[in-house]
Amino acid sequence: MTTAYLPTSTLTAIASLSGATSTDKFTPILTAIRVTVTPETVTAVATDRYIAARLTTPLGDVAHTVSDTGSTFYLNAADATMLAKLKTGGMLTWNDETREVTAEMDNHSRFTLHAVDGNYPPVERLIPNESADHDIPAGVGLNPTTFAKLAKFALPGEKAADLKWAAYRLGIEKLTDSRKSGPIVATRSGGGSYLTVIVQPNLIRT
């Protein structure tokens, strides 16, 4: 079993990635947010196969039993949203084998969260560590639905009003085959936290 305390700001930011998860009940693993905790950082990843979002934020000086190699758990998007709505931090405990997660919150509430089955796709290897530095061609952009999703992804400490002014740096990943369009990469950061989103070409408006 592994435990780590996550403050309300971190839980809220993780929950904001729910917009990048899938609603397809036939692939339950994609309805979850993958959270990896190390003694230094918390990294949350969500994808519906077309959009992939990664949030990296410092763990901070909190109680935890995380090993140096880190540990991963999965939060169903609905559970993540529920925890965020409590507006309080909590100690999360998870079992790597059974994937059971429990949350003991600062308001004395306790939850046993949904275990999520399936193998999470290796989307993190597709998300660059740095923003794409290739300019977006004229006339290329995001469709309105995708843009609306990006506008809801939050960094820790950001409130809904702050997201109205959140600005992403946009670029396109360069592919070996120049005849094909690469994904758009959107990045922004603040307070030591980093948010990277990749949008596959089929969601790009031309």
Side-chain angles (χ1 to χ4, degrees):
M1 304 289 280
T2 306
T3 62
Y5 180 87
L6 298 183
T8 182
S9 59
T10 299
L11 290 172
T12 300
I14 290 173
S16 76
L17 300 189
S18 296
T21 61
S22 173
T23 57
D24 185 354
K25 295 181 180 179
F26 293 103
T27 54
I29 192 65
L30 295 184
T31 68
I33 301 167
R34 182 179 187 267
V35 183
T36 300
V37 184
T38 72
E40 291 79 32
T41 61
V42 178
T43 300
V45 176
T47 186
D48 61 2
R49 293 195 185 95
Y50 307 107
I51 294 176
R54 181 183 65 207
L55 168 72
T56 303
T57 189
L59 177 61
D61 185 16
V62 298
H64 70 83
T65 62
V66 183
S67 67
D68 291 342
T69 56
S71 182
T72 296
F73 64 92
Y74 299 86
L75 269 183
N76 176 280
D79 285 339
T81 301
M82 179 271 294
L83 292 179
K85 286 182 177 179
L86 295 175
K87 299 185 183 302
T88 184
M91 182 69 75
L92 272 64
T93 302
W94 61 95
N95 186 311
D96 291 338
E97 294 183 1
T98 65
R99 293 192 177 180
E100 181 180 282
V101 181
T102 60
E104 297 186 25
M105 310 305 290
D106 290 345
N107 63 2
H108 306 297
S109 56
R110 187 179 188 277
F111 303 93
T112 298
L113 307 177
H114 297 88
V116 183
D117 295 325
N119 296 318
Y120 205 80
V123 293
E124 249 195 293
R125 69 185 184 188
L126 303 177
I127 304 176
N129 290 324
E130 297 180 356
S131 60
D133 57 0
H134 304 289
D135 293 336
I136 297 179
V140 174
L142 301 174
N143 65 43
T145 302
T146 304
F147 187 81
K149 286 187 176 183
L150 263 68
K152 294 181 179 180
F153 299 151
L155 294 168
E158 288 183 331
K159 302 184 183 302
D162 300 325
L163 300 181
K164 295 179 181 180
W165 311 104
Y168 283 90
R169 178 183 177 185
L170 300 178
I172 283 188
E173 280 289 285
K174 187 175 181 180
L175 300 181
T176 304
D177 187 345
S178 59
R179 296 170 297 177
K180 297 181 179 180
S181 175
I184 283 182
V185 180
T187 58
R188 65 188 189 90
S189 62
S193 301
Y194 300 87
L195 181 61
T196 305
V197 184
I198 60 171
V199 180
Q200 295 302 329
N202 56 318
L203 296 183
I204 296 175
R205 175 178 55 81
T206 59

